[in-house]
Every structure is written in structure tokens, then in C-alpha cells.
Amino acid sequence: MSAPYQVQFQPYQFPLTFPLVTAHGHWTHRQGIIIQLTNDQGQTSSGEIAPLPWFGTETLAQATEFCQQLNGWITPEKIQDLGDYLPCCQFAFGSAEWGFADQADQTDKFQDLNYCQLLPTGKTALDYLEKVPTLSCQTVKWKIGVQKVPTEQAWFLQLLAKLPPNTHLRLDANGGLNLTEAKQWLALLDRQRQDSQTTIHIEYLEHPLPLHQLSDLFSLAQTFQTQIALDESVASVAQLQSLYDQQWPGIYILKGAIMGDPRRLHHWLTTHPIKAIFSSVFETAIARQQVLKLAQRWNLPYYAVGFSPSITNPLEPIKKATKN
Ligand code: MG
């Protein structure tokens, strides 16, 4: 048996800069757990458990219980055998252990990344664009599926007029449309793509329909020109494999921090060529760096990652407050 690692863990909570409004509801605070492994040579490496239960992951309570029952120690064998019912714990412990190998090998070459700015949901995006002189990224994302289609489509057309030239725009319905509404949106997006007067580039529509309407998502992908991206349907490597086997023709959004051990995802991607966009779950800098490392190798070239350009570590104010 390999030498066990000493485990320390620390729960965290911070308010999101902008409360997130999606078809899943309102989300105002991110909670998670930072873990730290120490190996038998005294080296340390960190990982992050950032659950997203509405994507089918473990809850924070389940992750906390798992960390507590370790009693301060975990073996490499146990990390390898962590069940798929704890995908965020798998990510945290797997990426922390991978970090030890990284400390020894820094030779890999990676592509540079472009980032994506999430606009406020609904009409607030229009007010926001009135106020800010410039955007932080050339790629932006706007959530839909929160208001009625005619209302949102009217805002969408105003949004196109307000965005800077050559902006790349992604829409995300978070599974919040029905089939009729999805067709209305895709028809509008297809028309927009063919409009030679505009320089706004529509990249894709994310999850127009709920997860259980997968066959309808396939038929939409075959009917419309605008690319469709799957996100909520790709919460694990098993789901990724299943969609790959069914030959999903569109984009796969990979939220690396909830998809289990990153070494397993990395290995899968070496043998399965897909159009992958790596995306955030509003994690701290710890998981962010580990997911971006995968993105540098596997994100679809010339497409931004689904992460904001930079973050001040959201845990810093909490640490400072604790010190004072
Ligand atoms: Mg999404």
C-alpha cells in the first residue's frame, strides 16, 4: 500500500459578485471546501470541493461528512476508488494528488486562453451596457429562459445593437425552454447569423431544452444552423461517454470541477475528439487553475473558456477578516 496523505479541510462561503439568475432560480452564495494533502515528504497540494447539486453532484453536507470520516488521512488507493456518487470530492482529491506530479514536471506547453464575460440576466444586461464603457472580453454570455420569449427576443435585438462590433455572443437557456420556444429562438439566431449587416457572431445556444428531452435536442441540432451546446447533460464522464456514443454533433460544456478526477477526464479526452468548452462553477482560484490547466490542452481552439478573465480570490476578504 502507498503512503497515505495527511488531510486538512476548511469549509468556505462567499457571496457571488453578481447574484446569478437562471432558469434554475437565484444563486447568491458559493459554498465549498478547500482540502490540503501533505505527502510523506512534507510537500502540500490543495484541491477544492465545489458542489453543484442541481447538476446531480453530492451536496455540501455529503462532502463534509466524507471529509470528516477520513479522520485526517487518505491513501492513494482510496482516492482512486472514490465512488462516482462523490464527483466533486473525486475532483478535489484527484487534482490535489495530480498537483504533486505537476510539482515535478513543468514542461508541458499549453495554448493561451480567451475568457468570457457573463452579462447580467434579462433587461439588466441592457442597462449594464449603457453604463460600462468597455467589456472585459470579446466573448459574452447572456442567460435566457427566464422571461417570456417575445420579451426576451426584443431585449436580445436591443442587446445586439448595443454590443461592441465583433463581439462573440453565447446564449444559455439552462434547459428552461419548451420545444416551441427553442425553435423560435433557434430560428431567430439562424436569421441573425445570416444577417450580413451585423458583426456580432452568435457562437451557440446552450441547453435550450430540459435534460430529459435529449432526442429533441438532437433533432434541433440537425435542423438548425446555430450550434447547440450541452451543459447540464454532461455532468460526468459517464454522461460524456454516453453522448459521444450517440454522436452528439454539437458542443460539450465541461464543468471540470464537478466531473470527478481530472486525470480521468484528461485521459478520456486524449482518445475522444470533441468540441469542448471548459466552464466555471464559480469556484475559487484553486479549482479554477486546475480546470484551466485542462482547458489549455483541450478547449476548442479560438473559442473562449466559460470563465471570467480573472478573479480576485473571493476568499481573501474572509481570510483578512479572520486575521483582524
Ligand atoms: Mg450552461
Side-chain angles (χ1 to χ4, degrees):
M1 200 168 83
S2 316
Y5 303 108
Q6 198 179 341
V7 181
Q8 289 176 296
F9 68 97
Q10 180 69 47
Y12 70 80
Q13 170 171 313
F14 60 87
L16 297 179
T17 316
F18 298 106
L20 197 64
V21 184
T22 74
H24 294 297
H26 288 232
W27 187 18
T28 57
H29 284 75
R30 169 35 106 187
Q31 289 179 291
I33 302 169
I34 303 296
I35 62 133
Q36 182 178 271
L37 302 183
T38 306
N39 67 13
D40 58 356
Q41 292 157 50
Q43 295 169 313
T44 59
S45 183
S46 295
E48 177 177 349
I49 305 170
L52 209 55
W54 59 91
F55 269 63
T57 77
E58 68 270 52
T59 61
L60 183 67
Q62 288 166 328
T64 305
E65 192 187 336
F66 173 77
C67 291
Q68 282 168 341
Q69 57 82 36
L70 291 173
N71 287 322
W73 296 94
I74 193 167
T75 60
E77 289 79 9
K78 176 133 188 173
I79 292 176
Q80 205 173 358
D81 291 343
L82 266 177
D84 284 343
Y85 64 99
L86 294 169
C88 301
C89 293
Q90 282 184 331
F91 174 81
F93 285 90
S95 55
E97 190 177 44
W98 205 10
F100 288 123
D102 264 15
Q103 289 168 12
D105 180 12
Q106 300 278 358
T107 55
D108 278 337
K109 287 262 187 294
F110 297 115
Q111 62 168 326
D112 289 335
L113 296 176
N114 295 312
Y115 296 90
C116 175
Q117 181 175 356
L118 180 62
L119 296 174
T121 306
K123 188 172 178 298
T124 319
L126 301 174
D127 305 334
Y128 174 80
L129 289 173
E130 289 286 335
K131 274 186 237 148
V132 295
T134 52
L135 295 174
S136 55
C137 306
Q138 198 180 0
T139 304
V140 297
K141 177 159 152 180
W142 188 53
K143 300 274 186 186
I144 63 166
V146 182
Q147 298 289 332
K148 297 249 179 287
V149 172
T151 309
E152 283 188 340
Q153 289 198 339
W155 291 338
F156 169 75
L157 295 173
Q158 292 176 54
L159 190 69
L160 293 180
K162 285 185 194 298
L163 285 170
N166 303 315
T167 300
H168 290 223
L169 176 61
R170 303 168 173 181
L171 300 188
D172 187 359
N174 289 107
L177 305 175
N178 63 35
L179 187 55
T180 307
E181 293 167 338
K183 286 178 179 171
Q184 288 169 343
W185 267 109
L186 285 162
L188 178 63
L189 297 177
D190 275 6
R191 281 202 300 280
Q192 182 57 34
R193 287 168 61 85
Q194 285 153 11
D195 180 358
S196 57
Q197 302 298 308
T198 180
T199 63
I200 307 298
H201 177 69
I202 307 291
E203 280 194 340
Y204 53 77
L205 171 60
E206 220 169 292
H207 247 290
L209 301 174
L211 276 89
H212 64 270
Q213 287 182 252
L214 199 56
S215 61
D216 286 328
L217 285 162
F218 269 83
S219 92
L220 289 176
Q222 278 142 13
T223 308
F224 292 92
Q225 285 183 348
T226 302
Q227 293 199 91
I228 296 177
L230 294 184
D231 181 1
E232 280 86 343
S233 310
V234 204
S236 67
V237 175
Q239 289 173 354
L240 185 57
Q241 180 71 54
S242 167
L243 285 163
Y244 182 84
D245 290 342
Q246 294 172 70
Q247 300 179 351
W248 170 247
I251 287 172
Y252 296 78
I253 307 292
L254 304 183
K255 289 177 160 31
I258 64 166
M259 293 184 71
D261 193 319
R263 294 169 294 189
R264 184 161 55 139
L265 179 58
H266 170 71
H267 180 71
W268 190 91
L269 289 164
T270 58
T271 48
H272 299 79
I274 59 165
K275 292 189 263 184
I277 304 284
F278 283 81
S279 177
S280 157
V281 293
F282 299 94
E283 56 280 267
T284 77
I286 290 174
R288 174 188 166 95
Q289 281 165 9
Q290 289 156 343
V291 175
L292 289 181
K293 207 172 65 176
L294 287 175
Q296 283 173 319
R297 188 171 289 201
W298 300 114
N299 200 75
L300 193 56
Y302 310 113
Y303 280 71
V305 290
F307 282 80
S308 61
S310 64
I311 51 166
T312 48
N313 187 348
L315 300 184
E316 275 306 314
I318 295 168
K319 277 194 210 151
K320 278 184 193 146
T322 318
K323 272 185 201 158
N324 288 341

